[in-house]
Amino acid sequence: MDELDYSIQEYCCSAGLNSSIPFPNYQFGAEEQLRPVRLSAGQLLSEPLTIEPIEVREVIRDELTIIPVSWENNNPPPLDMADPFVHAINPQSPDPLDIALSEAASFALASLSKLRYNSEGIANLKKVISKDWNADRVHPLIEELVAGDGLPTIEIWSLVQLKADGAFSIDTNTIYLADKFVKNNINNTEAIAEVIIEEAGHYLDSLLNPTADTPGDEGAIFAAVVLGYPLNEQELLALKAENDITTVTLNGETIQIEQSSEQSDLVVSEVDITPKTVTWGESAQLTWTVTNQGSGTALSNWYDGIYLSSDPVFDSGDTFVSNRRIGSSSSLASGESYTASTIVTIPRGSGITGKPYLLVVADYYQNYAKESDESNNATAASTLITHPDLVVTEVNIPEGVSWGQSGVEVSWEVTNQGTGTALTNWYDGIYLSSDPVFDSGDTFVSNRRIESSSSLGSGESYTASLTVTIPRGSGITGKPYLLVVADYYQNLEKESDESNNATAASTLITHSDLVVTSVNIPEGVSWG
């Protein structure tokens, strides 16, 4: 085998991927110093791998059906990981990076495919970019782009060399993506797709206006139209005034590129909660600072979210608490910060065990601010959420009560032996049991709502009483017990220990014992 040529479609099929790559001529570029990639039989490759566009496609309106191209003899050649962006192809365990690139490319292709049927969107391109972007010229080029005809190569290069998340060069007819940008967004493939679409806009402009580049960042404007992102007049004028042309040196060759618009990177740099110690169900003031550490400006009007979590890492299992819209008359430039605050209530019944955390997540809703790194938006609040612990410390019931007896007064005392405050309005329950341990087999007798004008602080107690009837026919055999269970209904109080809420009454419930002592019947009776 003298050289390694294969299509990206073959690459995806061999890795077990179903997604299609919209730009099939896929080339993995080198780092600052190109290292050889071992292929097979001791052969070394000293140039970047080039993948030729030989895939076959069938386009059906908004969906893409792939007719796969198979490896010869079903045997893909092995690769080693000499370069971090040249991956060993393993159908059983596809690399997450390969999956992310495939998903991003599929999303970009689907978005461009929909534009073909959006006559209003295509007409808007002439209005917002330039007169060269008229519908009669743009529409067939979009058709060709979706069909895979004459597409540019995609290469991944070091961010140090590329100096942008993405770029397009008319000199090489190549779209470039930065390695760090792809890695940072491996779980946010729409961000990668957005840059691919933006560079596709630069590519289309090179066809529509081959003699001179359209002033401004026409790629970013094209991406906004394709993806349906609204641009106000101020933002549009800023993009039209932007100079996105620069030169870079890749593999010893200096080329001119059009860079993707610089992206923001919102990071929650500080979170503070007052008071420092709160308990479940209480309210507190949360204040946080967000800094844009990216190189681009974050546009206004996004949302910061607040979550409750069992750990300091934000994920889909965390409990939503509240949000705050971040809207202003100006955007957040690179290096700038803002501080926001809101009153939050720590939710009861979140299901979190162990030490809880409050997380602030910048731009949590639909990622309105397009960032270079969406993985660093969350920071945990350094606070302590305390728990109450309600314990029934005493139960009193009259001596010698009987089955079915009404008007029985039961009184009890409950102490909060936890570190946090128990809020008002829960229920204590009374049960009948065959043993002093509360469980689901016990018989419900009655309950009492516990409400007052103040909460029950750590170490505080209350007493309550209730008149009940000892039920007959409970099915209990042996010695019966009367149990009082604090906060028995739905566990409204989030306690540190829910297993110590019940205490049995120390009393005797007496039993009647009916015995027939004599029987009388007249003498001389007859049948019937």
Side-chain angles (χ1 to χ4, degrees), residues 105 148 301 336 345 362 383:
N301 299 332
E336 292 184 344
T345 299
T383 186

Side-chain angles (χ1 to χ4, degrees), residues 9 12-13 15-21 64-66 68 99 102-103 106:
Q9 182 59 50
C12 290
C13 290
L17 306 179
N18 295 320
S19 302
S20 167
I21 298 292
L64 183 71
T65 300
I66 297 300
I99 296 174
S102 179
E103 290 179 352
S106 295

Side-chain angles (χ1 to χ4, degrees), residues 252-296:
E253 181 183 0
T254 300
I255 60 173
Q256 180 175 287
I257 63 171
E258 290 184 83
Q259 297 173 315
S260 63
S261 56
E262 295 180 322
Q263 293 187 301
S264 61
D265 185 15
L266 301 178
V267 176
V268 181
S269 53
E270 184 179 349
V271 180
D272 183 64
I273 186 169
T274 305
K276 295 294 184 184
T277 300
V278 293
T279 194
W280 300 99
E282 283 188 330
S283 295
Q285 179 167 312
L286 196 66
T287 304
W288 64 96
T289 299
V290 173
T291 300
N292 177 9
Q293 66 177 21
S295 57

Side-chain angles (χ1 to χ4, degrees), residues 5 18 36 74 94 102 107 152 201 204 242 329-330 349 371 396 424 427 434 448 492 526:
D5 273 336
N18 295 320
N74 258 342
S102 179
F107 182 88
L204 290 174
E242 186 177 311
S329 58
S330 61
E371 302 178 60
N396 297 301
T424 57
Y427 293 84
S434 59
R448 167 74 186 271
L492 296 179
S526 301

